[in-house]
Amino acid sequence: MYYKVIFTFLFFFSLKTNSQNLDSIFISKKEIVKSIKTNKDKVQFLYECGEYFYSKNVTKSEYFFKEALLLAKGSNSTMEGRTLFKLGFIEKNRGNLSTCLRYFNEAKDIFENTNDTERFASIHFDIGYVYRYKNQMDKEFSFYKKGLKLSVGEDELVLGKGYLHLGNYYTRLKKLDSSIYFYNKSLDIFKRLNRDDRVYNVYNNVSNTYYKQGKYKKVIAIRTLVLKFAKKEDNKLLITVNYHNLAAAYSKLNEYVTADKYLDSALIVAKENNFKLRLSKSYSSIAKVNFMLKNYEKSYRYLEKHKVYSDSIIKSQLSNTIKEVELKNKLKLEKKNLQILNQEQVFEKRLYLIIIGVFLLLGIPLVILYHRNSVNKNQIIEGNLEKEKIKKEVLQQKFKRSEVEIKSLVADNSMRLEFLKQLLLKLKNERKSAASVEVKNYIKDLSFKIQQQITTDSKLTLLKNKIDAVNDGFDNMLITTYKELTKTEREVCSLLRLNLSVKEIASIRNSSPDAIKVTRYRIRKKMNVPKDTELEVFIKKLEI
């Protein structure tokens, strides 16, 4: 008895010291939050604080998670879903299963909407586990089944989690071979991934199977191993669960004093962390152990405490259920109001359609008049277009006639040049053999031939006038659009526009065909004429 008092005193002293340290850390972290500027960083830090305190102090952990949720709601879906998920676990450990389910279902919807497939698959196992405590095994198994289906192709850790829950499920059905099969599958995955926390979690559940088989010494060996790991990780929930289950195994071996010691330890941790569900179970077990030890008064006192916590959990669940029903009714009412609002909108639309219909009926005569006016205008426009078309055709005919005349004049001009060449040659020959009388005759002949030259030059002047008439405005357009073209190049462009050949242009300009070809090349380059397009075609398409 003396050692038991000493042990209890030391345990409470260590808890108090640890609590003081946690309080100072809690205050410092709250101060740090104030200095963080952006909401995104603030939410992340609050979430990390919640995780830090999760296994140390549930109340402090809940504070940070709820602060994170307030900031994340509506602005950061990813963190909102994760925070709801953590709050669901806190409520589950307290025994508030309806509230836990509400948090989990909200988180599940967010994970689905944000395409977080891994968490979406994983949370199905957690929801199924809650239905285990609500003794709804059909729903529990349906969520496990869906979770396994969604886990295909995801992280192996999620699949291992599913196998673990199925092992637990078959243990409660007393299908122990199936239970061990799924536990071993989950162990293989967790060991391969080096996840000691998950491995010990499986051990924790395997011990339940051994308990069902009556292998209590194996239960004690495994539970002691898991308890050591839980203390190392400072996992309060796992600590209190293993104290309680060790006590259950010792009770089965009729070692009630040892069982009572473990139950006292489980009770202390559960009280410190406000684990209502664990408190209820611990008080019930202590009452049974003290009854076997014939401490009837103590047994009755703990049984009353069990009843208080059990009733509290039931009331909490009932209260949450009522809240959920009220919420559903509120949603139904809002849905009904939306339906009424939609009906009103439909009625308003119909009224608007009727009003529009009336206006349309009254406006038909105006539409007919407007249509007639439009038709008349269109006819006038079409008439004007027809006139313009006729004018264009007349101009084209004039252009063709001018082109024929010009070609004729060009031919005459060619004759003039040929004549001059022959004259020059004859003068050279005559000069060698001429006498004085012959000279006189020569001058007379020369005068006659010069007269012929004047006549030919007159024709050339007429040609120039024709060119100017046909290309009226074309030269100005070239000056404006193609500023790099020289005067000579613009004149060649004008002649090309008249379908004149290289030889004809050379004859008109008193130049060689090779020189005209060089000019054509410079014109193509300066006007950026495509290689597959003829220069004459390109020039004709230019708009004045």
Side-chain angles (χ1 to χ4, degrees):
M1 183 67 183
Y2 174 75
Y3 292 109
K4 187 175 178 180
V5 171
I6 294 294
F7 172 77
T8 304
F9 172 76
L10 290 173
F11 191 82
F12 270 113
F13 180 76
S14 65
L15 283 175
K16 186 171 180 63
T17 305
N18 184 49
S19 177
Q20 288 174 346
N21 290 335
L22 287 177
D23 286 341
S24 62
I25 294 169
F26 177 73
I27 292 166
S28 66
K29 286 188 180 293
K30 281 174 70 177
E31 289 301 316
I32 292 170
V33 171
K34 293 177 184 178
S35 65
I36 298 173
K37 294 180 181 179
T38 64
N39 272 1
K40 184 179 178 182
D41 293 339
K42 196 173 284 189
V43 168
Q44 184 65 39
F45 182 75
L46 286 166
Y47 180 83
E48 289 170 0
C49 290
E51 282 199 316
Y52 173 80
F53 283 105
Y54 183 73
S55 60
K56 298 175 175 63
N57 188 296
V58 177
T59 306
K60 289 178 172 58
S61 176
E62 182 185 27
Y63 167 82
F64 284 114
F65 281 135
K66 284 191 172 180
E67 287 294 309
L69 183 62
L70 283 172
L71 287 175
K73 214 166 186 66
S75 61
N76 190 337
S77 298
T78 301
M79 294 308 297
E80 183 182 354
R82 294 181 188 181
T83 307
L84 285 165
F85 180 65
K86 288 292 185 180
L87 287 169
F89 267 109
I90 289 172
E91 293 299 332
K92 179 177 78 69
N93 295 336
R94 287 174 174 167
N96 299 330
L97 303 182
S98 295
T99 307
C100 167
L101 277 177
R102 179 163 57 81
Y103 280 133
F104 277 172
N105 280 313
E106 285 181 33
K108 176 172 72 70
D109 291 341
I110 290 172
F111 294 152
E112 184 177 19
N113 292 333
T114 55
N115 292 321
D116 193 342
T117 52
E118 186 178 320
R119 286 188 173 83
F120 180 61
S122 179
I123 202 169
H124 280 78
F125 299 126
D126 299 305
I127 293 172
Y129 198 66
V130 175
Y131 280 115
R132 166 198 170 180
Y133 285 105
K134 290 173 81 72
N135 294 319
Q136 297 181 28
M137 295 188 75
D138 289 341
K139 280 192 174 182
E140 177 189 359
F141 184 71
S142 70
F143 273 96
Y144 291 161
K145 188 177 177 182
K146 189 172 181 182
L148 278 175
K149 187 178 179 181
L150 292 168
S151 298
V152 176
E154 298 297 335
D155 191 339
E156 273 195 308
L157 191 66
V158 179
L159 195 60
K161 181 180 177 180
Y163 289 144
L164 173 60
H165 283 298
L166 280 171
N168 200 312
Y169 175 80
Y170 284 113
T171 297
R172 284 179 289 111
L173 287 178
K174 296 183 180 179
K175 295 182 179 180
L176 303 181
D177 289 339
S178 296
S179 170
I180 293 296
Y181 169 78
F182 282 110
Y183 281 144
N184 284 333
K185 283 178 78 71
S186 64
L187 266 176
D188 288 341
I189 291 172
F190 295 145
K191 283 180 179 179
R192 188 164 61 249
L193 296 174
N194 294 320
R195 289 299 300 268
D196 289 343
D197 56 331
R198 297 286 184 173
V199 169
Y200 281 103
N201 198 1
V202 177
Y203 287 152
N204 195 45
N205 285 276
V206 167
S207 68
N208 291 333
T209 304
Y210 287 139
Y211 187 87
K212 295 277 184 183
Q213 292 174 331
K215 298 175 181 178
Y216 304 119
K217 288 186 178 179
K218 276 193 173 184
V219 172
I220 291 169
I222 292 172
R223 289 288 181 185
T224 303
L225 192 67
V226 175
L227 180 62
K228 186 178 179 181
F229 173 77
K231 286 180 177 179
K232 178 186 172 185
E233 296 294 314
D234 199 23
N235 189 327
K236 302 298 183 183
L237 179 61
L238 196 58
I239 290 170
T240 188
V241 166
N242 276 279
Y243 275 141
H244 185 276
N245 289 333
L246 279 166
Y250 279 113
S251 292
K252 288 292 183 180
L253 294 171
N254 297 324
E255 296 182 25
Y256 298 115
V257 174
T258 306
D260 189 44
K261 182 183 72 171
Y262 278 113
L263 285 170
D264 279 344
S265 298
L267 197 63
I268 290 166
V269 178
K271 277 183 180 178
E272 177 71 20
N273 292 276
N274 195 28
F275 295 149
K276 289 183 182 178
L277 190 63
R278 304 312 309 174
L279 281 169
S280 174
K281 288 179 177 290
S282 294
Y283 281 130
S284 175
S285 297
I286 291 172
K288 290 175 184 176
V289 167
N290 277 279
F291 182 84
M292 298 306 296
L293 289 170
K294 297 182 181 180
N295 296 327
Y296 301 120
E297 185 179 346
K298 192 176 180 180
S299 173
Y300 177 75
R301 190 167 67 250
Y302 279 111
L303 191 62
E304 285 295 308
K305 287 185 177 182
H306 160 70
K307 189 173 181 301
V308 168
Y309 277 96
S310 180
D311 289 346
S312 171
I313 291 168
I314 292 168
K315 283 178 183 178
S316 176
Q317 290 180 1
L318 183 61
S319 173
N320 288 325
T321 304
I322 290 168
K323 284 180 182 177
E324 285 183 2
V325 171
E326 287 176 349
L327 185 61
K328 286 179 181 177
N329 288 334
K330 186 180 178 182
L331 289 171
K332 283 181 181 178
L333 185 63
E334 287 178 356
K335 189 176 179 181
K336 187 69 177 175
N337 289 335
L338 279 173
Q339 288 175 348
I340 293 168
L341 185 62
N342 286 334
Q343 288 173 356
E344 287 177 355
Q345 288 177 346
V346 169
F347 175 76
E348 287 177 359
K349 284 180 182 178
R350 286 177 182 173
L351 182 62
Y352 290 146
L353 287 172
I354 291 168
I355 293 168
I356 291 167
V358 170
F359 274 110
L360 285 173
L361 288 171
L362 293 173
I364 285 171
L366 293 172
V367 172
I368 292 169
L369 289 172
Y370 176 77
H371 177 68
R372 285 181 180 174
N373 187 38
S374 296
V375 169
N376 291 334
K377 283 183 178 179
N378 287 336
Q379 288 176 349
I380 292 166
I381 291 167
E382 286 174 2
N384 291 333
L385 288 172
E386 190 65 31
K387 288 178 183 177
E388 290 294 328
K389 188 176 178 182
I390 292 166
K391 286 180 180 178
K392 188 175 180 181
E393 288 175 355
V394 170
L395 286 172
Q396 286 177 348
Q397 289 173 0
K398 286 181 179 179
F399 180 80
K400 286 179 181 178
R401 284 199 300 271
S402 298
E403 187 177 347
V404 171
E405 291 174 5
I406 289 164
K407 286 189 175 181
S408 175
L409 291 171
V410 167
D412 288 343
N413 188 46
S414 298
M415 290 169 61
R416 179 183 67 81
L417 290 171
E418 187 62 33
F419 170 75
L420 289 173
K421 287 177 183 178
Q422 290 175 4
L423 177 60
L424 184 60
L425 183 62
K426 191 172 183 179
L427 284 171
K428 286 179 181 180
N429 293 331
E430 289 294 334
R431 193 175 297 166
K432 293 175 182 178
S433 60
S436 61
V437 176
E438 288 175 346
V439 169
K440 290 179 183 180
N441 292 331
Y442 172 75
I443 292 170
K444 184 179 178 182
D445 291 336
L446 184 59
S447 298
F448 175 76
K449 289 171 184 177
I450 289 170
Q451 184 62 45
Q452 285 182 325
Q453 183 181 354
I454 292 168
T455 304
T456 305
D457 285 341
S458 297
K459 287 184 179 182
L460 189 59
T461 303
L462 181 60
L463 171 64
K464 185 178 181 303
N465 293 334
K466 289 285 183 182
I467 292 170
D468 292 338
V470 172
N471 293 306
D472 185 33
F474 182 69
D475 191 66
N476 289 332
M477 182 276 293
L478 290 177
I479 291 170
T480 306
T481 310
Y482 302 98
K483 296 179 180 179
E484 291 181 2
L485 292 174
T486 64
K487 184 179 179 182
T488 300
E489 288 164 351
R490 291 199 304 275
E491 288 173 0
V492 171
C493 285
S494 299
L495 294 170
L496 287 170
R497 189 164 177 261
L498 298 173
N499 278 337
L500 299 181
S501 66
V502 172
K503 286 183 179 180
E504 289 169 341
I505 295 170
S507 178
I508 290 168
R509 294 194 56 79
N510 196 20
S511 180
S512 67
D514 289 339
I516 299 301
K517 286 178 181 178
V518 171
T519 305
R520 278 171 55 90
Y521 172 78
R522 288 201 301 269
I523 291 168
R524 285 187 71 94
K525 193 172 181 181
K526 290 180 181 180
M527 296 180 80
N528 292 322
V529 180
K531 291 182 179 180
D532 57 346
T533 304
E534 291 183 5
L535 180 59
E536 291 82 353
V537 175
F538 182 85
I539 289 171
K540 282 182 181 181
K541 288 183 179 179
L542 294 174
E543 293 181 1
I544 299 175

